[in-house]
């Protein structure tokens, strides 16, 4: 049982480049979310989804896009990378928001 | 915006001592969750509390949800070095089915 799989684990981007962080889960969870974690801070919610075809903004959505075409996948797109987006990104999934989430191991992104 | 305030942000104590971490908000939550995170890994769920006044125990860890569903606490008895880590509380509101986190409590247990 793979759980939540994030790729890549590490990435370095130049300012202005775009890229997609991949997230896949094999637990048939309806709820999926993307978070970023900066040093000394907790996790901040970027975007979330309560099912295929449904997405909504979290606390810090600017500069990021998401889509949810299947239950399994929830990719996060950085449109034009900025140094302020240097962070560790976590994807998570759950049966329901109140059920508790399973997290991936994270993607460490550096924008130079 | 729902804000979850955790205190203290940093705590360093000796093995065998007891400690309590607090998670407070002005908002009402349908659920409060506690996670623990090790360096280089994602958070791992410890417990979910959903009923006001609810108390859950997980070995030496005791979790409580406030009667008004606005706050929670995590109490560790006889702390051990293996308890060292980042402890995060997170809440789900009644209106929006999203999980938001507090800033975390970094706990260090010294042998």
């Amino acid at each position: 049982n793979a759980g939540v799989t994030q790729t890549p684990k590490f990435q370095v981007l130049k300012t202005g480049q775009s890229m997609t962080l991949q997230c896949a889960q094999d637990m048939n969870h309806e709820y999926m979310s993307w978070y970023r974690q900066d040093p000394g801070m907790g996790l901040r919610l970027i975007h979330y989804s309560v099912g295929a075809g449904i997405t909504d903004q979290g606390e810090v959505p600017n500069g990021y896009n998401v889509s949810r075409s299947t239950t399994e996948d929830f990719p996060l797109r950085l449109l034009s990378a900025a140094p302020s987006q240097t962070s560790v990104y976590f994807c998570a999934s759950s049966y329901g928001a109140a059920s508790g989430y399973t997290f991936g191991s994270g993607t460490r992104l550096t924008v130079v | 915006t729902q804000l979850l305030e955790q205190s203290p942000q940093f705590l360093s104590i000796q093995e065998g001592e007891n400690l309590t971490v607090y998670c407070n908000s002005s908002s009402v939550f349908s659920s409060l969750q506690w996670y623990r995170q090790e360096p280089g890994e994602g958070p791992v769920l410890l417990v979910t509390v959903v009923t006001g006044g609810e108390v859950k125990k997980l070995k030496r860890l005791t979790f409580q949800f406030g009667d008004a569903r606005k706050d929670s606490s995590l109490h560790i008895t006889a702390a051990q070095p293996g308890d060292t880590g980042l402890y995060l509380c997170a809440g789900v509101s009644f209106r929006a089915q999203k999980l938001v986190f507090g800033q975390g409590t970094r706990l260090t247990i010294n042998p």
Side-chain angles (χ1 to χ4, degrees):
Chain A
N1 192 346
V4 179
T5 302
Q6 290 185 238
T7 55
K9 293 191 182 300
F10 301 93
Q11 182 72 50
V12 179
L13 287 179
K14 294 183 178 179
T15 297
Q17 286 184 318
S18 63
M19 80 160 293
T20 299
L21 307 186
Q22 301 292 344
C23 176
Q25 52 93 7
D26 62 357
M27 298 172 284
N28 201 32
H29 286 168
E30 289 293 328
Y31 286 62
M32 296 187 75
S33 299
W34 275 103
Y35 293 88
R36 62 177 287 175
Q37 187 173 33
D38 301 310
M41 301 184 69
L43 281 75
R44 290 186 291 170
L45 181 64
I46 304 172
H47 288 284
Y48 67 106
S49 169
V50 299
I54 306 169
T55 64
D56 206 346
Q57 295 181 350
E59 302 165 286
V60 288
N62 292 340
Y64 307 94
N65 274 355
V66 292
S67 60
R68 185 93 182 272
S69 56
T70 67
T71 298
E72 294 78 19
D73 300 298
F74 191 41
L76 177 72
R77 283 183 289 277
L78 278 69
L79 309 174
S80 178
S84 62
Q85 293 178 305
T86 293
S87 189
V88 180
Y89 291 83
F90 289 100
C91 178
S93 72
S94 174
Y95 284 114
S99 301
Y101 277 77
T102 299
F103 280 79
S105 57
T107 295
R108 186 174 296 274
L109 175 68
T110 301
V111 182
V112 298
Chain B
T1 301
Q2 308 153 251
L3 290 177
L4 279 165
E5 298 287 339
Q6 279 187 244
S7 62
Q9 290 191 44
F10 299 93
L11 184 59
S12 179
I13 62 172
Q14 295 299 119
E15 181 178 1
E17 294 183 358
N18 302 331
L19 66 105
T20 302
V21 176
Y22 299 93
C23 178
N24 296 296
S25 177
S26 58
S27 301
V28 178
F29 293 96
S30 64
S31 162
L32 262 175
Q33 302 167 20
W34 285 90
Y35 293 80
R36 178 179 160 188
Q37 186 179 21
E38 302 282 357
E41 299 178 7
V44 175
L45 179 70
L46 294 174
V47 76
T48 299
V49 285
V50 298
T51 305
E54 182 177 4
V55 177
K56 280 191 174 179
K57 292 190 177 183
L58 187 66
K59 296 183 181 179
R60 294 177 292 100
L61 278 61
T62 301
F63 304 85
Q64 186 163 5
F65 198 11
D67 291 339
R69 312 172 74 99
K70 294 182 179 181
D71 57 89
S72 182
S73 63
L74 158 61
H75 183 78
I76 300 179
T77 303
Q80 299 177 0
D83 296 326
T84 292
L86 179 65
Y87 289 82
L88 297 154
C89 71
V92 180
S93 73
F94 284 101
R95 284 186 294 176
Q97 290 297 301
K98 58 183 179 182
L99 185 70
V100 292
F101 281 80
Q103 77 272 41
T105 295
R106 190 162 300 280
L107 176 63
T108 302
I109 310 300
N110 303 300

